[in-house]
Amino acid sequence: MKKLFLFVFAFAIMGAVQAQIKTPAPSPSQKIEQKVGLTDVTLEYSRPSMKDRTIFGGLVPYDKMWRTGANENSKITFSDDVEIGGKNLKAGTYAIFTKPGKETWEVYFYNDASNWGTPEKWDETKVAAMVKVPAIELPMSIESFTMMFSNLTNNSAELGIMWAKVYVPVSLKINTDKAVMASIEKVMNGPSAGDYYSAAVYYLESGNDINKAKTWIDKAVSMRSDAFWYYRQQSLIYAKAGDTKGAIKAAQTSLELAKKAGNDDYIALNTQSLNLWQGKTEAKK
């Protein structure tokens, strides 16, 4: 019995040791984060190795859809809209599939990035963009499948795909100028109504300078005279500043606009505040 116990104990120890053994992945994953102009581009893929195998035309057949790497499909994520092959791609994540050829490759950006390898059923409606690019012969062999970004400018980058003796360049266009011009225009035009409104409400709720809050909410209201919720905050700020008459006037305007909009919540809130403030005004007389 004792021998049996020792045997079981030893077997359990061996199992625990084996469970802790870690080995390298045959196709290690890589994640690259690249800023192109103002756009964040993230690339995630797995990297198989040649291992003395014929890659293109062998392991990877010509003219057949390939996952472009190993394991889960390769993915690329854009924080802003981009242009590939003359087509606009919305900000988001796309799977990268390719169809290698001897002289040219077809590179696909696929809306569904949740596949393990190529999709069981290819759906052309999910192809956000497809571009044909030349397969450039390299003077040396690349052992590990590699994807990278190069030739960076403010408005473009090149997504490079290479393995064995093949390099495939894919041009990415980023409309950085549009984003920069929009930012410049916004700053030069000064804060928006929403900026003034947010600053005023923050000062009200955090107990900061209430007079600054009054100035900012007045500017916000002057730019959005149709917003009943702006007038509501204006009434609260005026009340906090001790200007009851101003608070009543703002609440009355908010109430009228809320009635037109059919917003029962703001009707009730303004009615309650008006009863309170008007009662205080009457008591002072």
Side-chain angles (χ1 to χ4, degrees):
M1 185 68 181
K2 185 176 180 180
K3 289 183 178 180
L4 177 62
F5 173 77
L6 291 173
F7 175 78
V8 172
F9 180 75
F11 185 79
I13 292 295
M14 289 176 60
V17 171
Q18 290 177 350
Q20 295 175 2
I21 295 175
K22 295 181 179 180
T23 59
S27 299
S29 61
Q30 183 171 44
K31 181 177 181 179
I32 301 174
E33 296 178 343
Q34 179 65 58
K35 177 79 76 172
V36 183
L38 297 176
T39 300
D40 294 315
V41 186
T42 303
L43 183 64
E44 299 172 86
Y45 70 104
S46 294
R47 308 184 64 186
S49 296
M50 288 178 62
K51 298 178 181 178
D52 297 322
R53 298 175 293 184
T54 299
I55 301 302
F56 300 112
L59 178 67
V60 179
Y62 286 126
D63 303 319
K64 289 189 176 181
M65 200 65 71
W66 179 42
R67 72 176 68 188
T68 318
N71 303 325
E72 188 178 2
N73 49 218
S74 299
K75 295 184 289 187
I76 190 166
T77 302
F78 304 105
S79 64
D80 302 298
D81 296 356
V82 301
E83 182 182 323
I84 299 176
K87 287 192 174 182
N88 291 320
L89 268 70
K90 294 293 183 182
T93 300
Y94 299 87
I96 302 174
F97 296 112
T98 51
K99 190 178 288 184
K102 291 183 179 180
E103 297 182 355
T104 60
W105 282 32
E106 294 179 0
V107 182
Y108 296 81
F109 294 83
Y110 200 71
N111 278 326
D112 182 1
S114 62
N115 295 281
W116 186 272
T118 55
E120 290 185 11
K121 185 177 180 182
W122 185 260
D123 187 348
E124 283 293 336
T125 64
K126 293 182 179 180
V127 177
M130 189 279 284
V131 60
K132 290 186 178 182
V133 291
I136 301 170
E137 185 177 356
L138 295 172
M140 70 292 186
S141 290
I142 306 298
E143 173 65 23
S144 299
F145 174 70
T146 301
M147 298 176 76
M148 64 179 188
F149 296 107
S150 61
N151 297 330
L152 300 172
T153 73
N154 285 340
N155 295 288
S156 65
E158 186 173 281
L159 170 62
I161 303 172
M162 55 183 175
W163 199 15
K165 288 191 174 183
V166 176
Y167 177 76
V168 176
V170 181
S171 296
L172 310 176
K173 291 185 179 180
I174 315 290
N175 200 342
T176 303
D177 287 342
K178 182 179 179 181
V180 172
M181 294 302 292
S183 178
I184 290 173
E185 186 175 348
K186 180 180 179 181
V187 172
M188 294 305 178
N189 286 337
S192 66
D195 294 328
Y196 282 122
Y197 174 80
S198 297
V201 172
Y202 177 79
Y203 264 47
L204 168 66
E205 295 177 348
S206 61
N208 285 312
D209 190 338
I210 198 64
N211 289 319
K212 276 190 177 180
K214 282 184 69 176
T215 299
W216 289 334
I217 198 63
D218 287 347
K219 288 185 177 180
V221 165
S222 69
M223 299 168 74
R224 284 292 309 273
S225 59
D226 62 327
F228 55 84
W229 59 97
Y230 275 36
Y231 283 102
R232 171 63 184 170
Q233 293 298 327
Q234 186 184 45
S235 72
L236 297 176
I237 290 170
Y238 272 55
K240 181 79 175 288
D243 185 351
T244 306
K245 288 185 178 180
I248 290 172
K249 182 179 179 181
Q252 287 173 335
T253 304
S254 179
L255 178 60
E256 292 172 5
L257 292 172
K259 286 179 178 179
K260 289 181 181 179
N263 190 298
D264 293 335
D265 290 339
Y266 275 81
I267 291 172
L269 288 170
N270 284 304
T271 301
Q272 184 180 14
S273 294
L274 284 169
N275 289 336
L276 176 63
W277 297 331
Q278 287 172 341
K280 288 183 178 180
T281 302
E282 290 295 327
K284 290 181 179 180
K285 291 181 178 180

